[in-house]
């Protein structure tokens, strides 16, 4: 059966590619994905798969099979607010971009849905198909959970996947502690604006921001155990719009990535203390806004190995690797907190281009050849799920 499902996935390559290109043209962002959601609903209706919507119609949940126990297959659907620079004939023209490959995820799960409908009688339980919004903003999984996606029927296990632009097609990788936690934050510093010729009459938030930036880097260098895997990055510093004016406000945005909960809590506490202390020293008012707080993605080792064994049986073309461990983050982690979960990386390197760009780059391209592999992984997991 595993070999058969792989062959059947390969036979719908052209259809998968067509769906993916249509989705690539209409990327939507955040929690509001009306066109993408409508596309998914239309396809599920064509496959005669019952479905419902959640998160105000922007999350689609299909259901196959029957039984008391349920496996959830999840694909994220959202894009990023960036202008595409790939030059592809099916490139987006709406100012957003599928720069993380979620269009492939959506098309692949639709492909799996079509395959599984044919094999529905062979399913050992209920298979829930989750098409989720807002992974990029880390809001979608929590919104779906809040709307009851893990209930009716109750989900007992979950499987997710992600294409990788720098892994060759045919590579499938997984791990137990696969993605880091992420604490995203915004620091808003408010001072007193004044003319640059009279700095004594103002309170400079840029000066305070510079010292906060340096203090946070020193925090990592001197207070974080070198043996711990942690990264603290300030990726945005915005202040002022004139060379001769001290602005009233400066804004810094950053991200903290960790794998250890103790380190996670300690570093957040110290960020708050550093910001408060430096702000007081330079007489600015400081506010910290939490943008995200996503846990480590911990996967179930025995479940991982069970699925990996089944994937190996699908085709000798597939190269299966364990021990994925990356500082990236994924809101699939919220599902993994609640049910045994597995998550797989699927190679999607574009062979036709000389340069491979990383995810979230306006020039990144993904190979359509990854689509049937991803679809077969979803379908194979569903057909090989063990009910205990």
């Amino acid at each position: 059966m595993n070999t058969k499902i792989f062959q059947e996935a390969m036979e719908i390559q052209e259809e998968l590619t067509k769906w993916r290109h249509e989705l690539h043209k209409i990327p939507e962002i955040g929690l509001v994905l009306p066109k993408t959601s409508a596309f998914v609903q239309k396809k599920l209706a064509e496959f005669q798969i019952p479905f419902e919507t959640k998160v105000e119609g922007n999350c689609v949940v299909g259901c196959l099979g029957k039984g008391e126990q349920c496996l959830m297959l999840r694909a994220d659907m959202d894009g990023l607010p960036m202008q595409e620079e790939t030059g592809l004939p099916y490139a987006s023209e709406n100012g957003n971009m599928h720069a993380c490959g979620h269009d492939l995820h959506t098309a692949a799960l639709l492909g799996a849905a079509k395959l599984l409908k044919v094999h529905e009688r062979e399913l050992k339980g209920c298979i829930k198909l989750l098409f989720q919004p807002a992974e990029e903003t880390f809001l979608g999984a929590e919104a779906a959970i809040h709307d009851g996606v893990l209930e009716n029927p109750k989900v007992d296990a979950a499987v997710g996947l992600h294409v990788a632009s720098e892994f060759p097609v045919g590579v499938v990788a997984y791990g137990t502690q696969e993605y880091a936690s992420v604490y995203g934050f915004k620091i808003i510093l408010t001072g007193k604006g004044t003319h640059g010729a009279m700095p004594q009459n103002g309170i400079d938030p840029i000066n305070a921001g510079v010292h906060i930036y340096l203090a946070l880097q020193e925090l990592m260098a001197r207070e974080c155990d070198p043996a711990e895997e942690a990264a603290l990055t300030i990726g945005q510093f915005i202040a002022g719009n004139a060379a001769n004016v001290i602005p009233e406000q400066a804004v810094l945005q950053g991200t903290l990535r960790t794998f250890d909960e103790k380190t996670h809590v300690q570093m957040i506490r110290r960020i708050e203390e550093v910001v408060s202390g430096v702000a007081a020293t330079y007489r600015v008012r400081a506010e910290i806004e939490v943008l995200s707080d996503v846990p480590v993605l911990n996967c179930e080792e025995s479940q991982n190995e069970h699925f990996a064994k089944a994937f190996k049986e699908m085709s000798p073309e597939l190269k299966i690797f364990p021990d994925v461990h990356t500082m990236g983050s994924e809101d699939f982690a919220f599902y993994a907190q609640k049910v045994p979960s597995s998550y797989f990386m699927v190679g999607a390197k574009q062979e036709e281009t000389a340069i491979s760009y990383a995810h979230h780059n306006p020039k990144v391209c993904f190979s359509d050849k990854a689509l049937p592999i991803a679809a077969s992984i979803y379908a194979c997991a569903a057909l090989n799920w063990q009910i205990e």
Side-chain angles (χ1 to χ4, degrees):
M1 173 53 70
N2 294 334
T3 301
K4 183 178 181 182
I5 205 71
F6 185 81
Q7 292 172 341
E8 291 177 359
M10 288 297 169
E11 290 169 3
I12 61 170
Q13 164 84 66
E14 186 175 342
E15 198 169 14
L16 291 168
T17 300
K18 180 182 177 181
W19 299 342
R20 184 255 165 148
H21 290 187
E22 290 182 39
L23 289 163
H24 194 85
K25 292 177 183 178
I26 57 167
E28 298 170 296
I29 60 175
L31 286 166
V32 183
L33 315 178
K35 292 182 180 179
T36 309
S37 175
F39 184 95
V40 170
Q41 292 178 56
K42 180 181 178 182
K43 292 302 175 187
L44 292 180
E46 289 176 6
F47 305 155
Q48 298 184 341
I49 295 175
F51 65 87
E52 61 178 333
T53 63
K54 297 184 181 295
V55 193
E56 299 181 355
N58 298 291
C59 180
V60 186
V61 186
C63 196
L64 285 159
K66 58 183 179 180
E68 295 183 358
Q69 292 187 286
C70 175
L71 172 69
M72 184 174 76
L73 307 178
R74 176 272 208 165
D76 38 13
M77 304 189 292
D78 57 321
L80 288 155
M82 61 196 306
Q83 187 70 46
E84 183 165 350
E85 299 176 11
T86 62
L88 293 168
Y90 52 89
S92 165
E93 296 178 355
N94 68 1
N96 299 325
M97 181 185 176
H98 271 299
C100 204
H102 295 184
D103 51 331
L104 281 85
H105 304 169
T106 305
L109 187 54
L110 284 173
K114 184 172 184 176
L115 296 172
L116 291 172
K117 183 62 179 178
V118 175
H119 296 280
E120 189 166 15
R121 291 184 178 180
E122 298 162 55
L123 296 172
K124 299 180 182 69
C126 176
I127 304 299
K128 187 174 286 191
L129 309 169
L130 169 60
F131 297 85
Q132 178 204 301
E135 188 283 325
E136 297 291 358
T137 55
F138 302 122
L139 298 174
E142 286 190 299
I145 291 170
H146 181 267
D147 268 14
V149 76
L150 296 180
E151 306 299 331
N152 301 318
K154 182 180 181 298
V155 171
D156 296 287
V159 172
L161 62 75
H162 206 299
V163 291
S165 66
E166 295 176 301
F167 286 8
V169 171
V171 168
V172 178
Y174 63 97
T176 49
Q177 201 173 46
E178 201 156 340
Y179 281 92
S181 68
V182 57
Y183 171 75
F185 58 93
K186 177 191 286 188
I187 303 168
I188 303 169
L189 304 173
T190 305
K192 180 181 178 183
T194 185
H195 195 285
M198 296 171 284
Q200 73 280 3
N201 294 333
I203 300 174
D204 188 354
I206 294 178
N207 182 47
V210 168
H211 283 84
I212 286 173
Y213 176 89
L214 294 173
L216 292 180
Q217 303 311 304
E218 291 164 0
L219 185 65
M220 294 298 294
R222 289 293 173 266
E223 294 192 30
C224 184
D225 186 342
E228 290 295 335
E229 297 169 291
L232 175 58
T233 298
I234 301 297
Q236 186 180 75
F237 193 147
I238 300 174
N241 51 31
N244 63 342
V245 176
I246 291 175
E248 182 175 325
Q249 196 170 83
V251 176
L252 293 82
Q253 292 197 71
T255 178
L256 169 70
R257 310 291 176 113
T258 61
F259 283 99
D260 178 71
E261 180 63 19
K262 182 179 178 181
T263 302
H264 180 76
V265 172
Q266 175 191 347
M267 295 306 294
I268 290 175
R269 176 178 59 81
R270 290 296 288 133
I271 288 171
E272 294 170 348
E273 291 173 352
V274 164
V275 170
S276 176
V278 174
T281 299
Y282 293 98
R283 299 184 298 129
V284 300
R285 180 163 52 87
E287 175 187 355
I288 299 179
E289 179 182 338
V290 179
L291 304 177
S292 58
D293 196 358
V294 180
V296 174
L297 174 51
N298 290 307
C299 295
E300 184 71 25
E301 186 173 5
S302 60
Q303 183 172 288
N304 280 356
E305 297 302 329
H306 173 73
F307 287 138
K309 180 181 178 182
F311 300 157
K312 290 176 184 177
E313 295 173 357
M314 287 199 299
S315 170
E317 298 174 21
L318 298 182
K319 299 175 178 62
I320 316 293
F321 297 101
D323 302 326
V324 171
H325 187 68
T326 171
M327 296 302 289
S329 296
E330 237 282 7
D331 80 348
F332 185 79
F334 287 113
Y335 304 123
Q337 276 191 322
K338 297 182 179 297
V339 298
S341 297
S342 296
Y343 193 86
F344 298 92
M345 302 294 291
V346 180
K349 184 177 181 180
Q350 180 62 272
E351 298 169 356
E352 290 77 12
T353 57
I355 303 173
S356 294
Y357 294 96
H359 295 224
H360 294 211
N361 186 297
K363 292 184 173 65
V364 66
C365 293
F366 300 89
S367 175
D368 290 325
K369 293 178 182 178
L371 288 165
I373 296 174
S376 65
I377 284 173
Y378 279 131
C380 184
L383 289 164
N384 284 272
W385 181 46
Q386 290 181 325
I387 296 178
E388 297 180 356

